[in-house]
Amino acid sequence: MTTLNQKQNEIKSLDSTFTTPVGRVVATEKNPNTAQSFCFWTNLDSPVGIGTIVRVLADRETKEVFGIVTDGISYTDLASPIHDFISCEGNPNEAEGAQTIRPEIRYYTASVLKSVPEEPIQPVSIGNVYLADDAAIRQSLRMDKYADETGIPIGLYVNGNNMSPVFLDSQFLIGPEAAHLNVTGVSGLATKTSIVEFLLTSIFQKFTGDKDGQNSKVAAVLFNVKGSDLLFMDQPADNLSEPELDMYKRMEINPVPFDKVQYFAPYKNDGVNLNTLRTNENLLHNVKALSWGLKEIFDNVQILLNKDDVDAKADAFLQFMKDKIIDVDKIDSFYCMHKKIENFNDLEDWFQRIFAESEGQEGNSEGKSFWRGHAIATIRKIYNRLTNITYRCQGLVTNDSNSQDLPWGQFEDRCVYVVDVANVIPLAQDLVFTRIVEKLREQLESKLLGVDKVIVFVDELNKYASNDSGNSYLKQTLLEISERGRYLGLILFSAQQFKSQVHKRIVGNCGTSIFGRMDMDELATQGYSVMPPTIKAELTTLEKGKLLIRHPHFNQYIFVRFPRPAVMTSHEGMNRFPAVPERTFEDAMVANFKRLAKDIKSTAVKELIADVDKNEVLRAFYETERKCTEKHLEFFKKILRKKPMREAFEEIHSPAPKVPSLDIEIDWS
Amino acid sequence: MLNDVKKYIAQKRKDGENFRVLKHYSDNESSEFYRANAYFCAGKAEFKEDISRPVRKVVRTENNISGFSYFLDGIQRSRPIFYTGMIPVTYGYCAAVIRNRADKIMKTSQFYAESQALYLPYKAKALKNQPEFYHDKSDFDAFKNIKLINTGVIDSNKEDIVENYPVHPQELILKANQELNNERSQLETNLAWEWVKSKSEGGWLFIDGPVSSICKNYKEYIKVFPNIVGVLKTHHTQYFSFADQEKIYKLKKGERSIVFRPDKQDVFSWYLRLHNPTNGDVNFGLIRIEIFADKKLLTRVDEISEWIMLETKPAAQPDSRWDRMIYPIRDCEEYLKSKAPTYTMIESLA
């Protein structure tokens, strides 16, 4: 066991910053120390403040206690303000004439982070207070047990000139022990997105798998729900300052952007321009279309239907369609099938056959209202709802079978997949979220995705999983991830402005919480009742780049600083790579081909598509995009059916119908 | 009855008579100044300034910096902690310190002393007719590491006065307190002497209490290094005639009396009013200052008075004696209190 002298010698061997006592623990009968908190005083020039981590070396025992300052007061020996008033004779200028300055102390309350030894649990003893050095910070936050193996740097604990890396435990951040991360903070400071980007960089560079080295492949799927926040993750930040680079160095992270990023965005209504702000020619190489047909969406079709419409009868009919009709190889004429139903065009055809058949039965008293046990009215309702999906989600949902999707089964390790749904309607957003997450879950469960863990980032969580709206499918999906995702390796990183407005079970399941600057109104809500008032006050004025962290290994809230992510900001990105206004059909096709291969000549594309029906061009292009990996233009040319465009009718005299000649000589005379 | 008094005072004030009503600002529990003093006497004095003008205005100079840099004060604590038979044994603690002020901040200097002892009567070998119930000193051999101070000795120079040996327990406690008081005075004098010997530079020494004994005992040294000023907050001796004394009591803030030399003492002295007596008490804010009796120092009386006036900021509140105490002295007291054993500790022995 370490003796008191050994411990004192250990302290003396440290840098003088950490060997000079900065304060002293005090306890009174009215304000005693406990096993969880203690009080100490410091001089005015002491570098201690709210959030400072300190170590206490007890005077008379070998116990060492680490604590974090949660509250601080300052006072003089004045018993009442009136005394100072009398002293100054009511004139503030008289205070300058004071010959002696009243002693003023800083009196801090600290919460215990760790005691060494931890047992027995005893109140903190009187002793000197020292600033914590790197090793002490590791020990106090229990990071010494995992930092070297499963540590993920989240930022730096900064006190004066001292910067100590703070690590999250990957086992508790992305599973399997605990998982999920939630970020709360006011909008406009770019803190939420920045910390997620930084943390992803940190994870991608530092994560080495679970403790046994297994499950080391990780990817991220980010949903961009507003503006251009996540659209330049592959571009470097060119103006990181020296202090920021130092911070990276201290955490041993390379300040580089993500080298593998793929962007997905649905088309606009024209079916040819992508519905994203990442349309600059220089950035198109890794932008892909997101376009789904009937097969892709039918499993999640309930999302697109009005919940009130999907009663038991409608639900039964949808289930019937799923089992017997949609994408079923067996062509069963009993069910009015004449071919495999693969897309909305086929579906339309199928419905028309049902209606024709049911109309043909008219007059038959039994059969006129039902078809195969399903009410015609119900079928008509489903028909109505399904067939207008392609109009409501135009650009995302196509009539034909030309779907473009995420690379299911081929997810790459350390790759970021950004799905840009910022400019699509909420209904389509719901569909995108739900389907992608469901698909991720399915593939992770069956180990077919290509990676072991996927981090899903959803911003504006209070919009998508609010605690006061109804039970949306998306909310159910998010709940599912938060409750069972960690077993599968499906990790939810979420962010929002108002945590209090997010479903409790979702935030409750987040192992790690991060808080940026916050409104006092939000902090006054019930969810923050355990947070010390001074921490709350600090949060209301928190500067950019500073965050408050709660992690399972830390038994108190910890303030950390983090550098700006090493990726281009949305503002800078939009300046440098401005989005191209909506292109003409021809130009858009050129841009689309350039997405597939940069070296494709625009003139070649324009020549090929000239005088060809637009729909045919699109069909051929979609097929090229879906099936072809090289020599795209040749493939496109091969499959393009070059029918001339319908020309305008020219008003010319058609030749007169050939009248059979009558060999009758007519005598006109 | 109180209503009658109220009416009487109101009437007198209406008649224009000088009636002042005492206002008790401080906590009654600690209002030691409002108790009548234990003794009074009239003192003889030799006036060093024109007695026909006993009141002088202290003129403030341009210099707003006090010349004091050192401050001396002492404290004492005592409690009877046990009885042996009917004899009370009192624990006494006293300490004194000189605090140094630099850049307006009070700091500890090397001048610090403390003493603690058990105060009890025991039979002194050289004395006769000591009360039988006094213990032999050997009875307290168990306290061999503890200083014992004999409260049974009245005056070792007057061995024949046997009938005055304290016998009543309360008397013994009172005697213990007197001995402790002497002990503290001695500590203070010793510290002042140490300071004088060190010839500390940078400022004068302000002593909370008289300087007559140190001026008397170390006269030759003080002559060379006279930078000490004593301040008395209680006034048992009246040096002026009744008429002149009334003028002293009517001093206003910043006014001083003429300088006088108390009989048989090596000090010059004068009164100074630190705060206007808004609470009606004639002693409110009234202090008496002592300096070494050196004619050269007479020219510095106003300057020293001004320093003391400057020392009233900040006020020594929350101390109940703030009207006559300067803040650095309160600081010395607080410092000493922080080092002294608490009453809880002392009482826990009982």
Side-chain angles (χ1 to χ4, degrees):
Chain A
M1 193 176 172
T2 321
T3 64
L4 184 59
N5 279 344
Q6 280 171 331
K7 189 53 78 181
Q8 280 165 342
N9 289 337
E10 191 186 303
I11 291 220
K12 279 176 193 161
S13 69
L14 300 172
D15 184 305
S16 64
T17 314
F18 310 108
T19 55
T20 312
V22 290
R24 191 160 167 77
V25 174
V26 280
T28 62
E29 191 174 355
K30 278 186 183 172
N31 205 7
N33 292 336
T34 67
Q36 287 76 40
S37 70
F38 61 93
C39 297
F40 65 97
W41 58 260
T42 71
N43 212 333
L44 294 189
D45 57 1
S46 160
V48 172
I50 305 295
T52 303
I53 296 176
V54 293
R55 85 195 295 184
V56 176
L57 189 60
D59 285 346
R60 285 180 287 178
E61 50 186 8
T62 56
K63 202 157 193 172
E64 197 175 6
V65 173
F66 300 96
I68 182 164
V69 176
T70 54
D71 199 359
I73 56 172
S74 173
Y75 62 91
T76 67
D77 61 351
L78 265 182
S80 159
I82 191 77
H83 296 156
D84 200 45
F85 178 81
I86 292 168
S87 186
C88 295
E89 296 174 36
N91 180 2
N93 292 328
E94 287 289 316
E96 288 173 17
Q99 299 299 305
T100 312
I101 295 172
R102 287 179 186 274
E104 182 182 352
I105 69 162
R106 301 267 190 264
Y107 181 68
Y108 292 105
T109 304
S111 294
V112 173
L113 289 167
K114 191 181 179 182
S115 295
V116 180
E118 296 201 58
E119 300 285 343
I121 299 165
Q122 291 176 331
V124 179
S125 301
I126 304 302
N128 281 347
V129 176
Y130 302 83
L131 290 178
D133 65 325
D134 276 7
I137 285 161
R138 275 195 173 212
Q139 208 178 347
S140 63
L141 299 178
R142 294 173 167 81
M143 298 188 299
D144 49 340
K145 289 177 184 163
Y146 64 83
D148 295 331
E149 289 178 22
T150 55
I152 304 289
I154 177 76
L156 294 162
Y157 162 79
V158 179
N159 191 272
N161 295 325
N162 179 41
M163 296 197 292
S164 303
V166 174
F167 299 91
L168 303 180
D169 186 351
S170 68
Q171 302 259 78
F172 287 78
L173 178 66
I174 54 176
E177 301 290 343
H180 313 308
L181 170 93
N182 183 262
V183 189
T184 308
V186 295
S187 295
L189 290 177
T191 308
K192 299 192 293 280
T193 313
S194 295
I195 187 61
V196 170
E197 285 174 341
F198 172 75
L199 193 55
L200 282 177
T201 303
S202 184
I203 291 170
F204 280 15
Q205 291 188 25
K206 295 289 176 184
F207 178 62
T208 54
D210 295 342
K211 266 198 167 170
D212 51 8
Q214 300 289 306
N215 301 325
S216 63
K217 290 184 179 175
V218 61
V221 174
L222 316 184
F223 292 100
N224 185 54
V225 294
K226 58 178 193 284
S228 53
D229 274 2
L230 301 167
L231 297 189
F232 305 99
M233 296 184 74
D234 52 348
Q235 300 299 316
D238 56 355
N239 53 353
L240 288 176
S241 62
E242 275 301 316
E244 284 171 322
L245 291 171
D246 276 353
M247 291 170 90
Y248 273 101
K249 201 172 169 187
R250 197 80 182 78
M251 289 183 276
E252 297 176 359
I253 294 176
N254 286 333
V256 290
F258 296 90
D259 59 346
K260 287 192 276 184
V261 187
Q262 290 183 28
Y263 286 91
F264 295 87
Y267 285 109
K268 288 184 177 172
N269 290 353
D270 60 9
V272 65
N273 279 294
L274 285 176
N275 200 352
T276 176
L277 291 172
R278 194 181 161 99
T279 49
N280 190 285
E281 267 185 23
N282 297 313
L283 301 179
L284 284 176
H285 61 281
N286 57 355
V287 183
K288 292 180 178 165
L290 188 70
S291 163
W292 294 333
L294 179 66
K295 277 193 291 184
E296 283 74 25
I297 67 155
F298 201 78
D299 281 346
N300 305 102
V301 76
Q302 281 93 338
I303 298 162
L304 301 170
L305 303 177
N306 187 332
K307 288 196 93 176
D308 298 332
D309 283 351
V310 187
D311 54 12
K313 287 183 283 184
D315 198 37
F317 184 66
L318 285 171
Q319 193 58 44
F320 160 77
M321 287 175 72
K322 192 177 171 185
D323 292 345
K324 308 281 186 187
I325 309 298
I326 307 298
D327 206 27
V328 173
D329 290 330
K330 189 185 168 192
I331 313 295
D332 192 342
S333 58
F334 179 68
Y335 294 125
C336 295
M337 287 171 73
H338 291 263
K339 63 173 182 173
K340 193 173 174 183
I341 311 294
E342 290 182 299
N343 55 42
F344 277 98
N345 289 336
D346 300 339
L347 192 69
E348 167 75 30
D349 190 34
W350 178 71
F351 270 115
Q352 292 307 332
R353 285 174 189 281
I354 294 173
F355 297 143
E357 187 179 313
S358 60
E359 278 163 15
Q361 288 172 351
E362 260 186 323
N364 180 336
S365 59
E366 265 192 25
K368 63 180 179 181
S369 312
F370 286 88
W371 180 83
R372 307 295 179 261
H374 297 281
I376 290 294
T378 304
I379 296 172
R380 281 196 179 279
K381 186 163 77 176
I382 294 298
Y383 164 73
N384 178 272
R385 305 296 185 269
L386 285 180
T387 49
N388 72 19
I389 285 175
T390 52
Y391 293 102
R392 285 193 291 162
C393 300
Q394 210 167 1
L396 174 66
V397 180
T398 61
N399 274 323
D400 52 28
S401 307
N402 295 314
S403 69
Q404 312 284 328
D405 212 345
L406 270 71
W408 299 117
Q410 293 162 358
F411 266 50
E412 286 182 69
D413 187 22
R414 267 71 177 171
C415 184
V416 179
Y417 301 89
V418 181
V419 182
D420 189 359
V421 286
N423 301 314
V424 300
I425 60 166
L427 183 78
Q429 281 187 346
D430 278 6
L431 176 64
V432 172
F433 280 133
T434 312
R435 179 170 183 267
I436 290 179
V437 171
E438 281 285 309
K439 193 83 179 163
L440 284 171
R441 193 177 61 79
E442 259 175 49
Q443 295 219 329
L444 279 168
E445 200 158 19
S446 52
K447 307 272 182 199
L448 291 175
L449 190 60
V451 292
D452 305 306
K453 290 174 192 285
V454 175
I455 295 163
V456 174
F457 174 56
V458 183
D459 200 356
E460 306 294 341
L461 199 64
N462 46 277
K463 177 178 167 190
Y464 301 112
S466 111
N467 63 359
D468 54 5
S469 67
N471 250 350
S472 70
Y473 291 98
L474 176 57
K475 192 195 283 185
Q476 287 305 317
T477 310
L478 291 170
L479 268 170
E480 182 76 12
I481 306 183
S482 66
E483 286 173 344
R484 277 175 282 279
R486 73 186 167 101
Y487 299 111
L488 305 169
L490 187 54
I491 313 303
L492 178 67
F493 280 16
S494 51
Q496 69 285 315
Q497 192 172 352
F498 306 114
K499 193 176 178 179
S500 61
Q501 293 175 14
V502 178
H503 197 292
K504 274 184 184 175
R505 274 158 55 203
I506 293 179
V507 290
N509 278 304
C510 287
T512 305
S513 297
I514 293 178
F515 305 88
R517 188 190 288 187
M518 296 176 72
D519 287 331
M520 201 42 114
D521 291 347
E522 169 69 4
L523 287 165
T525 56
Q526 182 65 27
Y528 301 91
S529 57
V530 293
M531 198 179 268
T534 44
I535 300 277
K536 288 185 192 176
E538 182 74 13
L539 279 178
T540 59
T541 56
L542 210 59
E543 60 195 285
K544 242 180 177 177
K546 197 174 175 188
L547 294 167
L548 185 71
I549 291 183
R550 190 81 200 247
H551 185 62
H553 284 295
F554 312 156
N555 59 354
Q556 299 295 335
Y557 295 94
I558 307 294
F559 281 108
V560 298
R561 282 180 189 279
F562 72 101
R564 273 183 306 139
V567 301
M568 195 173 278
T569 61
S570 60
H571 180 70
E572 180 67 23
M574 289 310 292
N575 281 340
R576 193 172 296 185
F577 302 108
V580 176
E582 202 161 306
R583 294 176 168 98
T584 62
F585 182 77
E586 277 191 335
D587 289 343
M589 285 316 299
V590 171
N592 282 338
F593 272 104
K594 281 186 180 291
R595 277 199 290 118
L596 305 182
K598 261 188 176 179
D599 55 350
I600 291 177
K601 298 269 185 298
S602 56
T603 47
V605 176
K606 284 182 181 175
E607 272 174 23
L608 263 179
I609 63 173
D611 300 335
V612 182
D613 184 70
K614 283 182 182 176
N615 289 332
E616 173 54 18
V617 171
L618 287 176
R619 185 205 62 77
F621 174 75
Y622 293 154
E623 197 173 333
T624 308
E625 191 176 21
R626 200 171 71 251
K627 294 180 179 171
C628 181
T629 54
E630 57 182 2
K631 295 183 179 171
H632 299 87
L633 212 54
E634 283 176 31
F635 183 88
F636 176 74
K637 193 176 176 181
K638 212 164 149 185
I639 62 168
L640 187 69
R641 292 177 216 136
K642 269 214 166 188
K643 288 180 202 164
M645 286 179 76
R646 196 194 303 172
E647 288 174 3
F649 177 73
E650 284 181 47
E651 200 172 333
I652 52 171
H653 291 287
S654 56
K658 227 177 182 179
V659 179
S661 62
L662 297 171
D663 290 332
I664 303 167
E665 282 193 1
I666 301 169
D667 189 3
W668 298 101
S669 57
Chain B
M1 184 190 130
L2 283 173
N3 278 338
D4 293 340
V5 174
K6 191 177 173 183
K7 282 176 193 167
Y8 175 78
I9 291 170
Q11 184 58 48
K12 288 290 178 187
R13 278 183 164 172
K14 203 174 174 183
D15 298 343
E17 290 194 31
N18 181 14
F19 257 73
R20 295 189 295 273
V21 180
L22 285 166
K23 287 175 186 168
H24 295 264
Y25 288 129
S26 57
D27 178 8
N28 284 337
E29 296 299 318
S30 60
S31 58
E32 55 194 80
F33 290 125
Y34 298 110
R35 276 186 230 134
N37 286 321
Y39 63 92
F40 302 93
C41 62
K44 290 181 181 173
E46 178 192 344
F47 299 107
K48 294 293 176 185
E49 292 175 302
D50 183 5
I51 185 67
S52 64
R53 236 169 25 94
V55 174
R56 305 292 166 91
K57 179 84 179 165
V58 176
V59 180
R60 257 185 114 160
T61 62
E62 289 299 312
N63 188 6
N64 277 335
I65 296 172
S66 161
F68 296 113
S69 293
Y70 296 88
F71 301 88
L72 188 156
D73 195 20
I75 62 160
Q76 64 192 60
R77 278 178 183 179
S78 69
R79 277 286 188 278
I81 52 172
F82 63 90
Y83 280 79
T84 164
M86 61 172 287
I87 297 175
V89 176
T90 299
Y91 167 84
Y93 169 91
C94 60
V97 69
I98 295 178
R99 297 264 283 166
N100 174 220
R101 184 174 63 196
D103 296 331
K104 298 192 174 186
I105 304 286
M106 299 296 290
K107 289 173 182 167
T108 311
S109 66
Q110 73 269 34
F111 303 105
Y112 173 77
E114 64 177 5
S115 165
Q116 47 188 334
L118 290 180
Y119 294 81
L120 71 166
Y122 52 80
K123 287 174 183 168
K125 280 180 186 171
L127 301 181
K128 298 171 185 172
N129 301 325
Q130 295 177 87
E132 276 306 308
F133 64 90
Y134 277 21
H135 291 279
D136 289 330
K137 195 181 179 189
S138 59
D139 292 350
F140 302 101
D141 280 350
F143 301 133
K144 58 188 170 188
N145 293 325
I146 298 174
K147 186 176 171 185
L148 296 178
I149 291 177
N150 193 355
T151 55
V153 179
I154 295 298
D155 187 338
S156 55
N157 297 323
K158 297 176 184 174
E159 292 175 14
D160 53 330
I161 307 172
V162 294
E163 64 274 18
N164 281 343
Y165 283 114
V167 291
H168 193 280
Q170 291 303 309
E171 199 179 5
L172 282 165
I173 291 169
L174 191 63
K175 187 70 176 35
N177 287 339
Q178 284 168 3
E179 290 293 342
L180 179 59
N181 212 22
N182 294 340
E183 183 81 3
R184 180 180 59 83
S185 295
Q186 194 55 53
L187 279 185
E188 290 177 4
T189 305
N190 291 347
L191 270 192
W193 168 231
E194 290 291 322
W195 183 85
V196 169
K197 275 199 299 184
S198 74
K199 296 181 180 173
S200 295
E201 291 180 354
W204 286 51
L205 172 66
F206 183 107
I207 298 175
D208 186 44
V211 292
S212 48
S213 64
I214 187 171
C215 290
K216 183 180 174 187
N217 297 338
Y218 307 108
K219 195 172 182 177
E220 296 308 312
Y221 290 91
I222 302 289
K223 261 184 192 171
V224 183
F225 196 71
N227 303 0
I228 55 174
V229 173
V231 170
L232 293 94
K233 304 191 291 288
T234 50
H235 312 295
H236 302 297
T237 310
Q238 191 169 305
Y239 294 99
F240 290 80
S241 67
F242 185 81
D244 289 334
Q245 189 65 32
E246 193 180 10
K247 289 175 184 166
I248 300 298
Y249 284 139
K250 284 183 176 176
L251 287 175
K252 290 176 187 165
K253 177 184 173 180
E255 288 179 347
R256 69 169 177 85
S257 71
I258 55 167
V259 178
F260 58 93
R261 181 174 183 168
D263 193 26
K264 296 178 186 172
Q265 290 187 29
D266 293 314
V267 294
F268 289 152
S269 185
W270 68 97
Y271 290 94
L272 175 68
R273 179 77 78 182
L274 299 181
H275 299 280
N276 282 326
T278 49
N279 75 338
D281 182 356
V282 291
N283 286 324
F284 187 87
L286 189 68
I287 59 170
R288 186 165 68 81
I289 300 160
E290 288 185 351
I291 58 173
F292 178 61
D294 182 347
K295 281 186 180 172
K296 289 179 199 164
L297 290 178
L298 283 175
T299 57
R300 304 195 68 172
V301 166
D302 275 336
E303 186 184 12
I304 292 168
S305 301
E306 190 205 348
W307 291 348
I308 297 172
M309 290 304 296
L310 288 171
E311 294 291 351
T312 58
K313 287 185 175 57
Q317 286 152 325
D319 197 291
S320 59
R321 300 160 295 168
W322 67 273
D323 59 307
R324 273 161 281 177
M325 181 191 263
I326 62 168
Y327 184 80
I329 293 300
R330 171 182 152 74
D331 176 85
C332 289
E333 275 195 15
E334 292 300 310
Y335 175 79
L336 291 170
K337 280 180 193 171
S338 72
K339 302 198 78 152
T342 61
Y343 281 115
T344 310
M345 281 169 68
I346 299 168
E347 283 160 6
S348 69
L349 299 171

